[in-house]
Amino acid sequence: MIKGAVRLFIEKGFHRTTTREIAKESGFSIGTLYEYIRSKEDVLYLVCDAIYEEVKNRLAHHLDTNSQGITRLKKAVSAYFQVIDDMQDEVLVMYQEAKSLPKEALSYVLQKEVEMTEMIEQVIRDCVSEGVIFIQDAQVKVVAHNILVQGHMWTFRRWQIQKQFSLEEYTNLQIEQLLQGINYK
C-alpha cells in the first residue's frame, strides 16, 4: 500500500489522489483498504513514517563505527547523501505532503527527523570528543541540521543540481564547504 501510495503521490500529489486509486494501485479493493485505514491522511501518515524509518535504518546501517575523526564524519555525510539519492522520490513526497497530516501525526513524524539529526549530531560530537573539531554544543546541532538540509537539497533542487554534478562531486563539494566552516585539525 505504501509503495503504491508513494507512486501516486509523486505522480498526482496527495490532494489529487483518491483512496480508490490508492486501493487499486496497491492491489486492494476499496473495502479491504478501509480495513487498514480510516482516511487518506492515515495513508499519508503510514507513508511518511515508513520513509523516515527506512532513511533512518539505512543511515544507521551505513554509519561507519570503525573509523574515527574527520574520516568518520565524511563517511557519515556520504552515507546520508547516498540514502537520500536512493530515496529521492520518497523524500520529496514526504516533504511536500507532510503538511497535510493532522497535528498529532505530524508531531510524531517530525520526531523521526529529530532522531535522524541526532544520529549525525553524535558523529560530530565524537569528533569534538576526539579533539579534531572545535565547536560548541549549539554549533553541533546547527552543523547536523545543515548536513541534513544539504542532503535534501540534492532532491529538492535536483532539476538543476543533478545536471551540474554527480552525487560524488556534490558530496565532496558539500563536505569541503562544511569543513571550511568549522575549526578542525
Side-chain angles (χ1 to χ4, degrees):
M1 175 177 55
I2 291 168
K3 290 189 185 301
V6 167
R7 281 191 296 274
L8 288 167
F9 294 166
I10 289 167
E11 179 185 327
K12 300 177 71 174
F14 172 73
H15 292 292
R16 291 189 317 238
T17 300
T18 66
T19 51
R20 187 170 304 283
E21 290 169 323
I22 294 169
K24 183 178 178 186
E25 184 74 18
S26 305
F28 296 139
S29 70
I30 190 73
T32 302
L33 181 67
Y34 277 111
E35 288 179 23
Y36 296 98
I37 61 153
R38 292 181 313 243
S39 67
K40 189 168 66 166
E41 286 76 13
D42 289 347
V43 175
L44 180 59
Y45 166 79
L46 293 172
V47 165
C48 290
D49 187 49
I51 291 169
Y52 268 121
E53 278 301 309
E54 188 166 351
V55 170
K56 191 174 98 173
N57 291 339
R58 285 186 184 195
L59 179 59
H61 176 74
H62 290 332
L63 283 180
D64 181 2
T65 55
N66 295 324
S67 61
Q68 294 180 320
I70 297 302
T71 301
R72 182 166 182 235
L73 179 60
K74 288 179 179 181
K75 287 182 175 184
V77 172
S78 295
Y80 177 69
F81 285 15
Q82 182 63 58
V83 169
I84 294 301
D85 180 64
D86 293 344
M87 298 183 65
Q88 29 187 316
D89 287 338
E90 291 88 347
V91 170
L92 190 60
V93 163
M94 183 180 58
Y95 277 98
Q96 287 176 332
E97 306 299 352
K99 65 187 176 293
S100 298
L101 287 169
K103 187 177 180 177
E104 60 280 351
L106 180 60
S107 294
Y108 173 81
V109 167
L110 292 178
Q111 179 58 37
K112 302 282 188 167
E113 177 93 9
V114 170
E115 293 169 13
M116 282 194 309
T117 306
E118 288 171 348
M119 293 170 74
I120 299 295
E121 283 179 30
Q122 187 56 54
V123 174
I124 298 166
R125 281 194 177 86
D126 291 346
C127 289
V128 171
S129 295
E130 294 166 15
V132 296
I133 291 179
F134 307 99
I135 59 177
Q136 302 299 314
D137 191 57
Q139 292 170 303
V140 169
K141 291 184 175 299
V142 169
V143 170
H145 283 286
N146 284 343
I147 291 168
L148 265 66
V149 169
Q150 289 167 349
H152 297 157
M153 188 167 66
W154 178 252
T155 294
F156 298 152
R157 306 244 335 137
R158 65 185 175 187
W159 56 272
Q160 184 63 35
I161 290 175
Q162 292 181 23
K163 290 178 186 173
Q164 297 176 342
F165 306 103
S166 68
L167 178 61
E168 183 178 359
E169 291 168 331
Y170 177 78
T171 301
N172 290 336
L173 287 167
Q174 289 291 7
I175 290 170
E176 183 181 319
Q177 187 175 29
L178 166 72
L179 294 177
Q180 287 176 1
I182 57 178
N183 293 324
Y184 71 97
K185 263 190 198 176

